[in-house]
Amino acid sequence: MLTAFAQAFRTPDLRKKLLFTLGVIALFRLGSQLPTPGVDTQAINTCLEPALDEGGIYGLINLFSGGALLQLAVFALGIMPYITASIIIQLLVVVIPRLETLKKEGQAGTAKLTQYTRYLTIALAILQSTALIAIARQPGRLLQGCDLPLIHDVGAFGIITMVSIMTAGTAVIMWLGELITDRGVGNGMSVLIFTQIAATFPQQLWQIKVVEGWFVFIVVCGAGLVLVAAVVFVEQAQRRIPVQYAKRMIGRRMYGGTSTYIPLKVNQAGIIPVIFASSLLYLPALATQIGDPTSQWAIWIQKYFTRGDHPIYMLTFFVLIVFFAFFYVAITFNPTELADNMKKYGGFIPGIRAGRPTEEYLDYVLNRITTAGAIYLGVIALIPMVAIGVLGSSATQQFPFGGASILIIVGVGLDTVKQIQSQLQQRNYEGFLR
Amino acid sequence: MTETAEATPERPASDGGRGGLKGLPSRIGLYYRQVVAELRKVIWPTRKELITYTVVVLIFVTIMIAYVSLLDLGFSKAVLKIFG
């Protein structure tokens, strides 16, 4: 199996893509460590450690920005604004007719939608970076319990420079993500969020050992392994709908007569619903940081939406995941189009008429399968929170997104490995997955 | 062109779904049974497949985490040296 990894690097085309992706990841990490001009790096370093030990909200924010946010790095905002923007645009496509016609226009329309997503990302980035710096300029607000000033120049010029640099950083991240999608391996957005989580994952795991000791650490690791296997198990499960192609003569040649199947994954939506749900739930936590932390709504949010073990939080998370699972399947999988195509090429599902009935049948199966898939996603994302909550440890605070981060990491890992695999197979190599 | 798929009189398992105006619990029950029926037709991965995929994913993820941690270590040291 390890030879397959070596083989992947021996194939020139694939090697280029892999190295490109690794290079982009390196750039991304560099930007996440590079401080924005005007930031007092030393002060941040002295303040960061006690704040992180406290866990809770800082752990949450730190996990999802890959540690860059609290360091006020150039890439402080991470890939989040881009993800949020694309969620908003995809939701708006359903609501606003003009955007819907754009989407139906095909490639030109999609390009236009991508353009809108980029503009929205920039707008969100300006908003978030302004808010972030507004907090950071007051000593003791961003990293509570530490009164050192974090920013040298708190005048208008310094602030404007920092905001524009962070916004530019977000634009660069967006570009890096699109580059990975185009010329690298895997989907850029997922790979970058994978990187962000991977950056804080070891720390978080170690925190459990430090706080809880070896026993809990080993139990958590074992549970993690089981979880990984469970995720792989469901991701690989397919409902195969048989399709029979009619034999027909075109000119002097015989076509068709083959039978294939349409593979419907149990979890057709993949990990996108989890990414969407987590990034939406991350917003209120961020909002409390930006707003006045002593005001009533902020206290309310702190109470219900920043602790992974609170029932209301878990319920919201679950509902969001289920919603996005259905939503994402609905926008990516189009039974009408599939049924039309099958009809055009003389294919049919045995026992079902071509056209409308086929479409209805596909819809029927898809809805039933997605119900199971969505519930699976929600449950997997919640298991660690519930389990650690039951164990009665404070580790939940250090491991707030346990289930979600494992889902994202395994999901992206599986997708990427499969993509490498299919590229290897094109060249007749055996690949990893025998 | 389109006179392909000749209709077959029976269609397995695809009816139901909108079974009249029965009560809500019975409709949920029906839906639940339909979900289970579809899940029975799902092809689950074999044990061997599962083990291979899990191991490969674990190796891949470990390599990536190691790579990212190494990068972070290097960059944070460099940043501290230059700006600290």
Side-chain angles (χ1 to χ4, degrees), chain A residues 22 29 238-239 368 371, chain B residues 31 34 38 43 67 72:
Chain A
L22 289 178
R29 287 318 299 168
Q238 284 176 341
R239 164 81 164 93
R368 277 25 176 208
T371 308
Chain B
Y31 190 81
Q34 286 167 342
E38 286 301 325
I43 294 173
Y67 174 66
D72 272 6

Side-chain angles (χ1 to χ4, degrees), chain B residues 28-40:
Chain B
I28 290 178
L30 178 66
Y31 190 81
Y32 170 75
R33 279 198 303 280
Q34 286 167 342
V35 169
V36 172
E38 286 301 325
L39 281 184
R40 274 180 209 284

Side-chain angles (χ1 to χ4, degrees), chain A residues 9-177:
Chain A
F9 271 97
R10 235 175 282 141
T11 319
D13 196 26
L14 196 54
R15 179 178 55 216
K16 228 187 204 163
K17 284 185 176 173
L18 285 173
L19 288 180
F20 184 80
T21 312
L22 289 178
V24 169
I25 288 176
L27 273 183
F28 179 59
R29 287 318 299 168
L30 176 65
S32 307
Q33 298 278 346
L34 204 65
T36 312
V39 167
D40 189 342
T41 323
Q42 247 169 351
I44 286 201
N45 270 320
T46 27
C47 289
L48 204 53
E49 261 168 40
L52 280 184
D53 282 343
E54 246 172 61
I57 188 162
Y58 291 110
L60 185 78
I61 290 176
N62 217 35
L63 175 67
F64 260 65
S65 69
L69 186 76
L70 294 182
Q71 283 178 336
L72 297 175
V74 175
F75 287 177
L77 304 178
I79 189 85
M80 276 306 170
Y82 189 35
I83 292 179
T84 319
S86 60
I87 302 172
I88 294 174
I89 292 288
Q90 282 180 4
L91 284 171
L92 285 185
V93 164
V94 184
V95 183
I96 300 177
R98 210 183 84 77
L99 292 180
E100 205 183 339
T101 46
L102 262 185
K103 198 190 170 193
K104 280 184 184 148
E105 246 170 44
Q107 210 168 11
T110 319
K112 195 101 195 198
L113 281 180
T114 316
Q115 204 61 31
Y116 288 156
T117 313
R118 291 183 191 142
Y119 291 141
L120 189 61
T121 310
I122 298 297
L124 284 174
I126 293 174
L127 201 75
Q128 283 191 22
S129 56
T130 313
L132 176 65
I133 288 165
I135 321 163
R137 64 186 279 207
Q138 301 160 318
R141 275 290 302 281
L142 182 67
L143 305 162
Q144 274 151 20
C146 177
D147 286 335
L148 296 168
L150 300 178
I151 296 176
H152 292 304
D153 177 11
V154 290
F157 179 72
I159 301 280
I160 289 172
T161 315
M162 292 180 73
V163 167
S164 34
I165 282 178
M166 281 189 184
T167 309
T170 310
V172 172
I173 295 175
M174 186 162 69
W175 182 59
L176 291 179

Side-chain angles (χ1 to χ4, degrees), chain A residues 89-421:
Chain A
I89 292 288
Q90 282 180 4
L91 284 171
L92 285 185
V93 164
V94 184
V95 183
I96 300 177
R98 210 183 84 77
L99 292 180
E100 205 183 339
T101 46
L102 262 185
K103 198 190 170 193
K104 280 184 184 148
E105 246 170 44
Q107 210 168 11
T110 319
K112 195 101 195 198
L113 281 180
T114 316
Q115 204 61 31
Y116 288 156
T117 313
R118 291 183 191 142
Y119 291 141
L120 189 61
T121 310
I122 298 297
L124 284 174
I126 293 174
L127 201 75
Q128 283 191 22
S129 56
T130 313
L132 176 65
I133 288 165
I135 321 163
R137 64 186 279 207
Q138 301 160 318
R141 275 290 302 281
L142 182 67
L143 305 162
Q144 274 151 20
C146 177
D147 286 335
L148 296 168
L150 300 178
I151 296 176
H152 292 304
D153 177 11
V154 290
F157 179 72
I159 301 280
I160 289 172
T161 315
M162 292 180 73
V163 167
S164 34
I165 282 178
M166 281 189 184
T167 309
T170 310
V172 172
I173 295 175
M174 186 162 69
W175 182 59
L176 291 179
E178 286 175 7
L179 275 183
I180 291 183
T181 312
D182 281 353
R183 296 172 51 192
V185 183
N187 173 301
M189 212 192 272
S190 325
V191 169
L192 288 187
I193 198 169
F194 174 88
T195 315
Q196 283 185 4
I197 293 176
T200 36
F201 202 74
Q203 258 180 359
Q204 299 246 337
L205 207 58
W206 194 241
Q207 199 74 44
I208 289 186
K209 191 257 143 191
V210 172
V211 177
E212 303 290 326
W214 280 109
F215 178 69
V216 175
F217 177 72
I218 289 169
V219 168
V220 166
C221 284
L225 282 184
V226 173
L227 214 56
V228 170
V231 171
V232 171
F233 187 71
V234 180
E235 291 296 321
Q236 286 305 109
Q238 284 176 341
R239 164 81 164 93
R240 294 177 178 170
I241 297 182
V243 177
Q244 182 74 42
Y245 280 92
K247 266 191 185 152
R248 49 186 191 170
M249 297 282 279
I250 296 176
R252 292 175 52 213
R253 296 182 62 183
M254 195 73 134
Y255 288 93
T258 50
S259 67
T260 52
Y261 56 85
I262 305 170
L264 290 181
K265 279 168 71 179
V266 171
N267 177 24
Q268 183 80 10
I271 37 156
I272 302 284
V274 182
I275 295 182
F276 279 12
S278 334
S279 48
L280 272 192
L281 268 187
Y282 156 91
L283 290 181
L286 197 67
T288 55
Q289 284 297 292
I290 289 160
D292 178 13
T294 51
S295 67
Q296 214 138 45
W297 63 271
I299 292 173
W300 187 81
I301 285 176
Q302 292 245 352
K303 195 168 164 198
Y304 294 117
F305 282 103
T306 55
R307 291 275 308 268
D309 54 352
H310 199 283
I312 292 185
Y313 177 91
M314 292 200 248
L315 191 69
T316 320
F317 195 38
F318 186 82
V319 169
L320 276 178
I321 287 180
V322 170
F323 168 74
F324 277 122
F326 275 99
F327 178 74
Y328 199 70
V329 169
I331 55 175
T332 50
F333 192 91
N334 188 350
T336 319
E337 208 182 295
L338 198 64
D340 271 359
N341 273 337
M342 273 164 54
K343 197 162 129 189
K344 231 185 261 166
Y345 294 105
F348 60 95
I349 301 167
I352 311 233
R353 264 172 177 269
R356 262 298 288 271
T358 301
E359 182 194 324
E360 275 165 13
Y361 181 68
L362 285 176
D363 219 26
Y364 171 92
V365 175
L366 199 63
N367 272 336
R368 277 25 176 208
I369 284 287
T370 306
T371 308
I375 291 175
Y376 139 80
L377 272 183
V379 168
I380 290 267
L382 286 185
I383 280 180
M385 298 182 194
V386 175
I388 300 177
V390 166
L391 278 175
S393 74
S394 59
T396 356
Q397 284 192 309
Q398 259 79 36
F399 214 58
F401 264 108
S405 43
I406 285 184
L407 262 178
I408 292 174
I409 281 190
V410 175
V412 175
L414 201 60
D415 274 359
T416 315
V417 168
K418 272 188 180 166
Q419 207 180 339
I420 298 173
Q421 161 82 1

Side-chain angles (χ1 to χ4, degrees), chain B residues 15-81:
Chain B
D15 323 318
R18 61 199 91 92
L21 285 167
K22 275 175 268 170
L24 188 65
S26 71
R27 257 190 289 171
I28 290 178
L30 178 66
Y31 190 81
Y32 170 75
R33 279 198 303 280
Q34 286 167 342
V35 169
V36 172
E38 286 301 325
L39 281 184
R40 274 180 209 284
K41 295 179 197 160
V42 165
I43 294 173
W44 301 97
T46 60
R47 173 183 280 268
K48 193 173 152 239
E49 231 178 9
L50 179 66
I51 292 174
T52 342
Y53 276 81
T54 310
V55 171
V56 168
V57 166
L58 281 178
I59 292 177
F60 176 79
V61 168
T62 318
I63 291 176
M64 287 309 291
I65 287 182
Y67 174 66
V68 170
S69 312
L70 221 65
L71 281 178
D72 272 6
L73 200 70
F75 286 144
S76 63
K77 282 249 168 74
V79 163
L80 263 188
K81 213 166 229 165

